[in-house]
Amino acid sequence: MTEEQSKLFQGLVSIVQTTLAADMEKGAVTPTLIMEKVDFVADNLYPGKDIDRKAARDELIRRFSLWIGGATTLSDKSGHKDWLNASRRKDWRYWQRYRDFLESKMSVKAVDALDEATNKILELLEDPLREGVWDRRGLVVGHVQSGKTGNYTGLICKAADAGYKIIIVLAGLHNNLRSQTQIRLEEGFLGYETSAKNDVVRYIGVGENARDAEIRPNCATNRSDKGDFNTKVAKHLAISPEQRPWLFVVKKNKTVLERLLKWIRNHVADAKDSDGRPLVSGFPLLLIDDEADHASVDTGDQIVNKDGTVDDEYQPKAINSRIRKILHSFARKAYVGYTATPFANIFIDRRKTTKDEGPDLFPQSFIVNISAPSNYVGPARVFGLRSTEGRGGGLPLTREMDDQTDSSGEDGWMPPKHDKTHVPLYQGRDEVPPSLRDAISAFALCCATRVLRGQGDRHCSMLIHVTRYTAVQEEVRRQVDELVKGFRARLRGFGAAEKDALLDEWRELWENDFVPTSAAVATAMDESAGEFELPDWEDVEAVLPEVLDDLANGVRAINGSAGDVLDYAEREETGLKVIAVGGDKLARGLTLEGLCVSYFVRSTKMYDTLMQMGRWFGYRPGYLDLCRLYTTSDLVDWFGHIADAAEELRQEFDTMAKIHATPETYGMRVQSHPVLMVTSSIKMRSAKTLQLSFSGSVLETVAFHRDPSILESNLAATERLLNAAAAPSENGVIIRERGSVKQVWRGFLWKGVPAEHVADFFSNYRTHPAARKVNSTVLADFVKAMSAKGELSSWTVVVIGGNDSADGGPFVLCGKYALEHMITRKPSESTEHYSIGRLLSPRDEAIDMDEESWSAAMRLTLEDRARDPGRGTEETGKEPPKYPGGVWVRQVRGLGAEGVPAHPEHGLLLLYPIDPKGAELPEGVPPVVGFGVSFPASRSTTTVKYEVDHLLWETEYAPDA
C-alpha cells in the first residue's frame, strides 16, 4: 500500500466506523451491515478510487468485535487532594488530537478504555498547579506486549494539558529501544519528526492534522541512534516557565542520567532544599519509567534496623540512585513505572530512603492493573491453563524440539552451557538443525500467506534467540543467511529437481501443519468471518520466489555491537520482512513488528530467556493462525509456571482492590504469597528465607514420590487423620443442589475436624521437592500459627473418589471407607517423580459451601470475567463459567459477602487416593494420596518461614549479573 492508498484506506475505515457508532448503541453491528456501509461510503465519497473493500470490512469486524474490561486500582490517598473534574478536562488539546489520531487506527471502544484508564492514573497524580511540596509514586501493570506505550503516551498528553511542564521518559538500556520509544512519542505527543539539528523535519502522527505551533511541545532528544540527551544539548539548553512542555526520552544509562541530573541542578533549579541542595520549584515533573522492573530497582542490601530506621550513608546502585536524585531535585513530582512483571517492584523495601536520593521507588501512592482487550493473545491463550487432564485450552501454535543439542544434551549445535568461542555445528556440519530449518520454512510460508491475505505491505518478523554471546549470534546469523539464500537460489535456479524437492518439502509442511492448525485456531477463536481462511497451495507457491527475494536481504543480528537495526519506520509503505537473531538487546521492550515465528532455546539463565519469550504475546490481527513458537519442553513447562504465577498475583490484586487495600498492604501480601516459592527461585536475589502466608490460596500436590515406602507412609498419615476425625457426616455419596443443577461426588466428608489433627497430617505427610509450592512442613507451621489466633481452627475434610467405571479401581481406607473407584491422573511428563497437571476439579473447592455462599462466589466470578478478557483461554473465553472461581470461593469463605457471614476459621482439606495403575507405577505399589488445601481469605498478617534453596537458583535461574 502506498502512502496515498494507506490514507484513503484509513479515511474510509474511520468514516464507516463513525457511521456505525449509532448502530453499536443498538447492539446491531453485523458483518453484512459493515459491508453495506463500506460499499456506500466508498461509492459516494471515493468513487473510482482503488481501495481494498474486503480489507476494510475485516478491519471493521475486528474493531467492533473487541471488548475491554476496566482497570482495577489500589491507592493510598495520604497527602493527596482530589482535583481532576470535568471543567479541568475541558479544552484539552494534546489529548484531543491524540484521541483523533488513535480513532483512525483503533476501535472507539479501545480508545474509550484508554481514555478511562489514563484518567484513572492522572487523577491519582497530583494537580500540577498545586503549590508546595508533593510527591506521588505509582506503578501501572499491563500484560506483556499489550500496549503500555500507547497508555503512557495518552497519560503524557493529558499531563501536559493539565500543566506538567517537564516530562522525562526512561526508555530501556539500549539506543535502539530509546529511539523506537522516541518515534512513538513523536507520533502520539510531539506531532513532528525530530532530527539531530533539533528542527522540525516534517509533521507526523498527531501533527498531520493539527499543526498548531502554539501548542507544539519542545523536545531535548531526537530519533537518531545517538539522539539521547548529550553534552552538546546540555550546554545550550535553557527553559523558561512560560514555555510549552519539554519532553526528554532518555535511556537508563548512568552517564546520561548523571548528565541530565547536573543540567537540572545547574540550569533549571530555582531554589534550595533544607540541606542546601538545588531544587526546582517552578516546574512540576512527570517521570515515566518504562519496563520499571528492569535496571531501575536497587538490588543492593540496605540495612533496615529493627526500629525501622535505615543506614543513611548507604549507596544505592547507579541507575536507581540517579533516578531518585532526579526526582529528589523537584519540589513537585510524580513517578509512574510501567511493567508487565511487577515482582521486583513490589519487593522494594518501602522504608529504604537516603539523604541524597530520598525515598526508593516503591509505588507508595497507587498500583493500577490494566486489563488487556479481547483480541490480546496472552500466555493463557497460548499455553492454556492447568486442568485435571494436564494443561489444556491453549492454541496449537507451539512446536517442541530437542535437536539443538546431541543426545547427551551437553554438546551439539547449541547446548545450554557454552561460551563465546562456541562454534555451532549440527552433527559436525556447519548448518542449522532441522527444527530451525522447519521454523524458517514456516516463516516463508507465513509471509507468503500474509501477502495473499492482502497484508503484503505489513511488517513480518521472525525471532531467533539461542545464545547471549554476540560472536555466536553472528555465526548463527551467517548460517541462517546462507540457508535463506540457498532457498532462494533453489527457487530461482535452473535445476528443476532441486526446486521440486524444496517445494515438495514445503507443501508437506503446508498440508500437515498449516492446514490443520488454521482450522483449529478458527474453531477455537470462534471465527466465522473467514479471517483464518488459507489460500490454495498453487497461489502460495507462486508468491514464494518474491518472498524469498525479500528475506534474502532480511537476516539481521540485533545486539549491542552489530550494525544492523530494525528500520521498520523507513519501510512503512512496503513492510519489512526480517529474521532477527538476537540476545539481550532484544530482551526488553524492543517491539518486533508483526512477529510471526519465534525460535527459542534456553540460554544459560532461565529468567532472561523467559522474559524474552514474553515478547511473543500481543496482537496478531489476521495472522494469529500462522504464528509458531518453536521451543523446548522445559521452557514450555516453566513458562506455564510463570503464567500461572502472574495470574495468581493478578487475582490477589483484584481481591485486595475489593477490600480497598493500599499498595503497602498489597506489597506485604505479595511478599508472603506462596507463588513466590516458584518465582523466588528465578528472581529474588536478596531473600534467603521467605515469610509466607497461605491465606486466600489453594495448594495442591502435583508432583509425587514413586518410592513405595514413602507412598505407604503418606497413606498411613491419611488414615491416622481419618481415624482421629471420628464419624463422617456424609457417607459414600455427597450431593449439592446448585441452582437447577445437582452436583454429585463419590466419597466421604467430615465437618469440624480440629486444627491439630490437620497440622499432624501435614507434619507426617512427605511432599516431593519438585512440588514447588507445596511444602507440608511449612503448611503444618501455618495451620498451627493461624489456629493460635482463632483462624483455621475447624476443618472440613473430604475423601474424593472417581465417579464412574472410566476411573480407577476400588480401594478401602481405614478398613471401612470403601471407594468404588479411585481417581486417575495420567503422568504429564517422564521424570524420576510422578507428575500430573491438576489434582482438583474446579467444582471441588466449593464442596463445603451452602447455597447462599456458592451463589455469592458465582456472582463475583461473573463480574470478574467481564472485567479482563485478556486472561481467558480459548476454552474459558467462550462459555460462561459453570462453577465459581477458586479465588472468589476463598474470598467469600474468609471475608463473607452481602448477606453471607465470614468464616475465617473454616479450612478445607481434600484428599484424593490416585490409582497407581493409571499413574503407571509398578504392580503392588499402594495408592498415591494427593491433597488439595483451600485456605479462606483473611485480614490476618500471620506468616511462617520458608527457606529458599539458593544453591539451586544461583546455578539454574538467577539473572546474569
Side-chain angles (χ1 to χ4, degrees):
M1 226 185 269
T2 64
E3 193 169 349
E4 183 58 32
Q5 282 174 318
S6 177
K7 279 189 175 154
L8 289 173
F9 180 81
Q10 294 291 1
L12 171 65
V13 168
S14 193
I15 292 166
V16 176
Q17 178 168 283
T18 309
T19 63
L20 284 166
D23 295 288
M24 191 170 81
E25 299 291 309
K26 301 175 209 147
V29 176
T30 63
T32 316
L33 178 67
I34 289 173
M35 200 65 228
E36 280 171 15
K37 299 265 186 184
V38 167
D39 286 337
F40 178 79
V41 174
D43 291 342
N44 288 286
L45 294 184
Y46 300 99
K49 298 287 185 194
D50 176 23
I51 303 179
D52 187 338
R53 297 184 185 197
K54 183 181 175 295
R57 183 205 68 171
D58 291 349
E59 172 64 19
L60 285 157
I61 287 172
R62 265 198 294 278
R63 291 187 185 190
F64 280 96
S65 56
L66 185 78
W67 55 289
I68 300 176
T72 40
T73 307
L74 295 176
S75 64
D76 185 341
K77 295 283 186 78
S78 312
H80 174 67
K81 286 186 179 169
D82 288 338
W83 63 283
L84 191 60
N85 54 29
S87 69
R88 275 304 290 277
R89 289 201 290 268
K90 230 171 56 197
D91 306 326
W92 274 6
R93 292 155 81 180
Y94 295 117
W95 165 250
Q96 192 50 54
R97 65 183 197 164
Y98 183 51
R99 186 181 174 111
D100 293 344
F101 170 69
L102 288 179
E103 281 183 3
S104 70
K105 294 172 170 295
M106 288 159 66
S107 84
V108 177
K109 286 187 209 171
V111 180
D112 285 345
L114 180 74
D115 188 7
E116 205 177 302
T118 45
N119 277 348
K120 230 174 208 179
I121 300 163
L122 185 68
E123 69 188 6
L124 290 164
L125 305 183
E126 218 50 57
D127 181 354
L129 307 183
R130 180 181 164 188
E131 292 299 327
V133 175
W134 44 260
D135 182 357
R136 297 289 286 169
R137 302 192 182 200
L139 184 68
V140 177
V141 182
H143 294 268
V144 181
Q145 297 276 321
S146 68
K148 297 190 295 293
T149 314
N151 185 289
Y152 68 66
T153 305
L155 179 63
I156 287 170
C157 289
K158 289 182 177 182
D161 278 323
Y164 278 89
K165 292 293 185 191
I166 293 183
I167 297 160
I168 298 171
V169 178
L170 305 177
L173 295 174
H174 299 290
N175 282 332
N176 53 2
L177 178 53
R178 191 212 67 80
S179 173
Q180 193 178 55
T181 306
Q182 173 93 29
I183 290 168
R184 296 280 300 275
L185 285 166
E186 286 172 9
E187 287 176 348
F189 175 55
L190 295 177
Y192 59 90
E193 188 180 313
T194 55
S195 75
K197 291 183 187 148
N198 256 354
D199 52 0
V200 175
V201 179
R202 64 189 177 110
Y203 289 97
I204 57 168
V206 294
E208 279 193 281
N209 300 320
R211 301 180 186 181
D212 194 338
E214 185 191 321
I215 65 163
R216 194 177 72 222
N218 298 297
C219 191
T221 52
N222 67 67
R223 66 162 57 192
S224 69
D225 217 32
K226 296 192 167 66
D228 211 332
F229 188 72
N230 56 42
T231 319
K232 198 170 129 199
V233 174
K235 268 187 192 151
H236 299 106
L237 187 62
I239 63 177
S240 62
E242 306 76 43
Q243 282 186 318
R244 304 180 294 277
W246 275 89
L247 176 69
F248 299 77
V249 184
V250 298
K251 61 180 177 290
K252 293 186 203 180
N253 169 288
K254 184 173 119 182
T255 314
V256 173
L257 292 173
E258 184 64 37
R259 190 181 295 135
L260 182 58
L261 175 66
K262 278 190 176 148
W263 175 78
I264 289 166
R265 285 178 171 173
N266 297 335
H267 296 279
V268 192
D270 53 0
K272 291 263 197 295
D273 68 8
S274 55
D275 291 318
R277 255 189 314 272
L279 186 71
V280 181
S281 65
F283 299 104
L285 165 76
L286 171 62
L287 192 149
I288 303 273
D289 186 355
D290 195 6
E291 304 289 358
D293 61 314
H294 194 45
S296 304
V297 176
D298 179 26
T299 51
D301 290 323
Q302 183 177 9
I303 305 301
V304 179
N305 302 319
K306 283 203 170 98
D307 60 358
T309 57
V310 289
D311 167 16
D312 230 10
E313 299 304 303
Y314 167 76
Q315 303 250 305
K317 295 286 185 252
I319 290 174
N320 170 273
S321 161
R322 280 154 185 83
I323 295 171
R324 285 161 62 185
K325 281 177 176 169
I326 288 170
L327 286 165
H328 207 38
S329 303
F330 285 79
R332 301 179 286 159
K333 66 254 187 179
Y335 166 91
V336 184
Y338 278 77
T339 181
T341 47
F343 298 124
N345 303 74
I346 288 157
F347 279 96
I348 297 168
D349 194 317
R350 44 212 169 280
R351 296 167 301 181
K352 273 178 152 185
T353 183
T354 68
K355 209 159 76 174
D356 284 347
E357 283 88 3
D360 207 341
L361 302 176
F362 181 80
Q364 191 72 37
S365 311
F366 63 86
I367 305 173
V368 173
N369 212 347
I370 313 175
S371 54
S374 55
N375 62 343
Y376 170 72
V377 181
R381 275 209 175 141
V382 176
F383 296 110
L385 295 171
R386 288 181 310 128
S387 73
T388 49
E389 279 77 52
R391 200 167 276 283
L395 292 170
L397 305 176
T398 308
R399 304 287 175 269
E400 291 187 12
M401 42 69 170
D402 58 8
D403 58 2
Q404 78 284 1
T405 65
D406 62 10
S407 53
S408 73
E410 301 297 314
D411 207 349
W413 185 71
M414 201 62 66
K417 291 193 164 64
H418 61 264
D419 61 17
K420 61 183 178 201
T421 62
H422 174 68
V423 178
L425 299 175
Y426 175 69
Q427 296 185 346
R429 299 189 299 276
D430 181 19
E431 64 186 41
V432 302
S435 59
L436 182 50
R437 181 191 170 96
D438 279 354
I440 292 164
S441 300
F443 182 56
L445 295 180
C446 169
C447 293
T449 309
R450 291 192 69 191
V451 168
L452 294 166
R453 283 182 180 172
Q455 302 175 6
D457 53 3
R458 308 273 171 85
H459 302 309
C460 212
S461 307
M462 174 176 178
L463 165 63
I464 299 172
H465 180 270
V466 291
T467 175
R468 49 190 279 255
Y469 298 109
T470 52
V472 186
Q473 285 166 24
E474 183 46 45
E475 285 297 297
V476 172
R477 188 206 64 76
R478 177 187 57 74
Q479 288 181 340
V480 171
D481 192 49
E482 284 171 8
L483 178 68
V484 172
K485 289 195 164 94
F487 283 161
R488 180 177 65 165
R490 287 171 72 177
L491 286 185
R492 290 274 184 215
F494 300 107
E498 281 202 334
K499 177 181 176 179
D500 290 347
L502 180 61
L503 287 171
D504 286 348
E505 180 189 325
W506 283 356
R507 181 170 193 154
E508 194 179 323
L509 181 65
W510 178 259
E511 287 172 355
N512 296 341
D513 185 329
F514 278 70
V515 172
T517 302
S518 292
V521 171
T523 306
M525 299 294 283
D526 209 13
E527 177 50 64
S528 51
E531 187 175 341
F532 303 129
E533 266 175 32
L534 287 179
D536 293 334
W537 169 252
E538 290 68 27
D539 296 332
V540 174
E541 198 177 294
V543 296
L544 277 168
E546 182 192 314
V547 165
L548 265 295
D549 281 346
D550 286 341
L551 286 181
N553 303 311
V555 183
R556 319 273 179 91
I558 308 294
N559 52 49
S561 55
D564 286 346
V565 290
L566 297 173
D567 42 0
Y568 292 116
E570 274 94 83
R571 299 290 296 277
E572 208 56 62
E573 285 188 23
T574 57
L576 179 68
K577 290 182 178 61
V578 68
I579 298 177
V581 179
D584 184 51
K585 184 97 171 244
L586 277 170
R588 283 286 176 156
L590 184 71
T591 301
L592 288 166
E593 308 265 354
L595 180 60
C596 302
V597 179
S598 294
Y599 185 91
F600 274 100
V601 307
R602 175 179 164 182
S603 50
T604 48
K605 302 290 186 187
M606 182 65 82
Y607 186 75
D608 294 332
T609 314
L610 288 170
M611 287 300 98
Q612 263 286 12
M613 281 180 84
R615 69 179 48 260
W616 199 71
F617 306 112
Y619 305 99
R620 305 281 177 266
Y623 61 97
L624 174 63
D625 60 316
L626 309 176
C627 294
R628 297 291 182 271
L629 174 56
Y630 286 79
T631 190
T632 55
S633 58
D634 65 332
L635 280 181
V636 170
D637 188 39
W638 260 99
F639 211 96
H641 286 309
I642 296 302
D644 293 341
E647 178 55 24
E648 281 191 49
L649 290 184
R650 278 174 179 277
Q651 288 184 340
E652 188 65 53
F653 186 95
D654 291 346
T655 310
M656 298 209 62
K658 276 215 161 44
I659 59 171
H660 303 296
T662 64
E664 188 158 335
T665 50
Y666 175 64
M668 285 152 73
R669 173 68 188 106
V670 167
Q671 286 178 28
S672 64
H673 198 286
V675 87
L676 298 171
M677 294 163 86
V678 178
T679 54
S680 64
S681 54
I682 301 175
K683 179 78 181 182
M684 287 168 47
R685 274 219 163 108
S686 52
K688 299 289 180 275
T689 60
L690 297 175
Q691 289 294 329
L692 294 180
S693 160
F694 297 101
S695 294
S697 303
V698 64
L699 301 179
E700 54 186 312
T701 45
V702 292
F704 304 93
H705 294 275
R706 290 178 185 270
D707 180 339
S709 64
I710 295 176
L711 296 178
E712 203 71 71
S713 137
N714 285 348
L715 180 58
T718 307
E719 294 190 321
R720 195 154 49 240
L721 167 66
L722 301 183
N723 284 327
S729 54
E730 294 179 68
N731 257 309
V733 180
I734 302 162
I735 297 171
R736 298 286 178 268
E737 301 287 344
R738 304 300 195 199
S740 58
V741 178
K742 184 189 281 187
Q743 291 180 354
V744 180
W745 289 262
R746 306 280 170 193
F748 301 85
L749 184 144
W750 288 258
K751 279 193 168 156
V753 179
E756 62 263 29
H757 296 330
V758 174
D760 283 348
F761 166 74
F762 287 136
S763 299
N764 293 318
Y765 184 104
R766 283 178 65 184
T767 40
H768 193 282
R772 294 189 183 90
K773 270 170 56 188
V774 189
N775 179 310
S776 49
T777 316
V778 184
L779 291 178
D781 292 345
F782 185 68
V783 171
K784 288 173 193 163
M786 290 296 277
S787 64
K789 301 201 168 171
E791 297 197 9
L792 294 184
S793 54
S794 173
W795 285 73
T796 300
V797 175
V798 193
V799 171
I800 293 182
N803 269 340
D804 55 41
S805 54
D807 284 311
F811 187 67
V812 180
L813 283 152
C814 306
K816 53 188 168 183
Y817 304 125
L819 295 171
E820 209 175 314
H821 302 286
M822 289 181 278
I823 67 161
T824 53
R825 292 288 183 268
K826 281 200 186 86
S828 63
E829 51 193 270
S830 51
T831 49
E832 42 60 66
H833 60 275
Y834 165 42
S835 175
I836 63 173
R838 272 207 82 174
L839 180 66
L840 277 70
S841 288
R843 64 182 197 146
D844 296 352
E845 235 191 305
I847 197 169
D848 61 335
M849 289 187 126
D850 60 24
E851 187 63 29
E852 287 75 27
S853 306
W854 190 89
S855 300
M858 195 69 205
R859 197 168 56 247
L860 289 166
T861 304
L862 292 166
E863 280 172 20
D864 179 54
R865 172 64 59 84
R867 196 166 49 241
D868 194 353
R871 279 152 65 172
T873 66
E874 293 332 309
E875 301 301 307
T876 59
K878 282 192 276 188
E879 302 289 327
K882 297 186 184 76
Y883 317 109
V887 67
W888 307 113
V889 168
R890 300 186 290 276
Q891 184 178 315
V892 170
R893 191 187 294 132
L895 304 176
E898 205 177 318
V900 177
H903 286 290
E905 74 280 8
H906 285 177
L908 173 66
L909 175 63
L910 302 161
L911 300 167
Y912 299 83
I914 305 172
D915 191 338
K917 199 167 154 204
E920 298 170 15
L921 293 170
E923 197 74 36
V925 168
V928 179
V929 178
F931 68 77
V933 54
S934 174
F935 291 102
S938 168
R939 289 191 164 84
S940 160
T941 54
T942 305
T943 58
V944 287
K945 196 160 79 170
Y946 168 72
E947 299 284 336
V948 178
D949 182 349
H950 270 264
L951 183 64
L952 172 77
W953 84 261
E954 279 292 349
T955 51
E956 287 290 299
Y957 311 122
D960 290 317

